[in-house]
Amino acid sequence: MKLQTEIPSTQHRELDLYPTEQLIDALIDDQFDAVRAVRLASPQIANAVTQALPRIRDGGRLIYVGAGTSGRLGVLDGVELTPTFSWPNERAIGLLAGGHTAMFTAVEGAEDDAQQGADDLRALNIQIQDVIILLAASGATPYVLGALQAGREAGALTIGIANNADAPITLEADIGITLETGNEIISGSTRLKAGTAQKITLNSFSSALMVQLHKVYGNLMVDVKPTNAKLVRRTINLTMFATGCDEAMAKDTLSQCQYHVKTAIVAILNQSSVLAAQARLLANDDDVRRAIQQKE
């Protein structure tokens, strides 16, 4: 089977002769195919969120598996969940063919080892509640297919994401998401629009999941983990925006609850103590909106 992501494009055959401005325009314009591909896959992405949600609520983990660019994008998505949504590090795990070294340096041949993919996944003691996101532009990377087989054997939810139609990863996973980005402007360079489409898909999937886990109030990032000065400032701004209070009240309330924005919002809007706000959140599945609306 010929992979569309590997077939040279019939457009821009003299790309190497383009002046710089034309070259940049061509590279940027080609990325719009990525957005269109993800938009067409929206129903499948929504289904993945729906199927993943009960497992994650039951304590499952998000486990990303990939090689090369795809694997690095998976690692990135998982890592960013902690500062953005206070998601526990141990519940967002990235498996990259070639191990940690491959995050920074290409490890030749690592993606061709299906057994290693299966072994790496099994080493995590996979449970039925886990959600495994399998990424490969080709859709046929042996390392990822090995992990897919091991994930299915364990009864975990498997989500396959590929950039070619009828790919083994999407056909064999519980949920297949095909992002048909077509030929790359630089033939075979799937770090371009194939990678962009995967990044958009991962952003959409994990962000939607976090919203439905009550880590967003309105459109505010209320479960942010303030690990640096910029994020501490963000917690203050978010609290002021959500409640209409002044900076002094926001800082004072946040200082009483270790800068947990959700608690500060509930305490200020309900004119209650931090302890009472924490109790309300606990009683309402950490949902800010329900905690505010709860009757005495």
Side-chain angles (χ1 to χ4, degrees):
M1 180 181 70
K2 290 186 177 180
L3 303 177
Q4 284 298 312
T5 52
E6 298 294 329
I7 297 173
S9 173
T10 57
Q11 298 181 347
H12 309 293
R13 285 180 170 171
E14 296 184 342
L15 190 71
D16 60 328
L17 300 178
Y18 287 6
T20 302
E21 287 188 6
Q22 184 182 358
L23 175 60
I24 291 299
D25 285 345
L27 288 164
I28 291 171
D29 289 347
D30 200 54
Q31 294 287 312
F32 285 102
D33 287 343
V35 179
R36 285 189 285 269
V38 177
R39 193 68 187 85
L40 289 172
S42 176
Q44 289 73 44
I45 300 169
N47 183 39
V49 173
T50 299
Q51 297 298 321
L53 188 60
R55 297 193 188 223
I56 296 300
R57 280 183 171 150
D58 200 28
R61 298 169 292 179
L62 292 169
I63 300 170
Y64 303 81
V65 184
T69 297
S70 297
R72 294 182 191 103
L73 289 171
V75 170
L76 178 63
D77 195 71
V79 167
E80 290 180 341
L81 295 180
T82 297
T84 309
F85 300 110
S86 294
W87 189 250
N89 280 318
E90 64 274 14
R91 292 183 66 193
I93 301 169
L95 291 183
L96 181 59
H100 292 292
T101 300
M103 191 71 192
F104 306 99
T105 307
V107 178
E108 299 301 330
E111 69 177 54
D112 298 326
D113 194 338
Q115 186 60 53
Q116 190 62 57
D119 291 345
D120 286 352
L121 194 71
R122 291 190 184 111
L124 298 177
N125 189 27
I126 299 301
Q127 305 296 314
I128 196 169
Q129 298 95 338
D130 291 331
V131 176
I132 305 171
I133 302 122
L134 303 123
L135 299 140
S138 69
T141 304
Y143 178 88
V144 181
L145 285 171
L148 169 58
Q149 184 60 38
R152 286 183 61 87
E153 289 172 359
L157 179 67
T158 55
I159 301 168
I161 302 174
N163 296 86
N164 287 283
D166 300 321
I169 285 173
T170 53
L171 293 175
E172 296 175 22
D174 296 310
I175 299 170
I177 300 173
T178 301
L179 309 170
E180 290 197 71
T181 44
N183 318 85
E184 293 288 358
I185 189 170
I186 299 175
S187 58
S189 182
T190 52
R191 63 182 287 271
L192 297 175
K193 61 184 174 184
T196 299
Q198 289 181 6
K199 182 70 168 77
I200 297 170
T201 299
L202 290 172
N203 279 349
S204 302
F205 170 78
S206 60
S207 296
L209 200 57
M210 294 297 132
V211 170
Q212 295 196 2
L213 289 169
H214 312 310
K215 292 183 172 295
V216 172
Y217 170 54
N219 65 349
L220 303 181
M221 188 195 302
V222 292
D223 235 346
V224 60
K225 196 176 187 67
T227 54
N228 57 43
K230 178 190 76 174
L231 294 178
V232 168
R233 181 69 242 176
R234 184 176 294 169
T235 65
I236 296 168
N237 291 339
L238 286 167
T239 302
M240 293 169 61
F241 191 90
T243 64
C245 75
D246 60 23
E247 184 169 336
M249 177 175 283
K251 285 182 176 179
D252 180 58
T253 308
L254 286 164
S255 68
Q256 297 176 49
C257 57
Q258 290 73 53
Y259 283 78
H260 188 233
V261 178
K262 283 184 171 183
T263 301
I265 290 172
V266 175
I268 292 169
L269 290 180
N270 285 347
Q271 298 182 327
S272 71
S273 68
V274 162
L275 287 176
Q278 290 170 336
R280 278 180 176 252
L281 284 166
L282 185 63
N284 288 280
D285 194 27
D286 222 26
D287 185 334
V288 171
R289 196 176 296 279
R290 281 166 48 193
I292 293 168
Q293 296 171 347
Q294 179 188 26
K295 295 180 180 180
E296 296 292 346

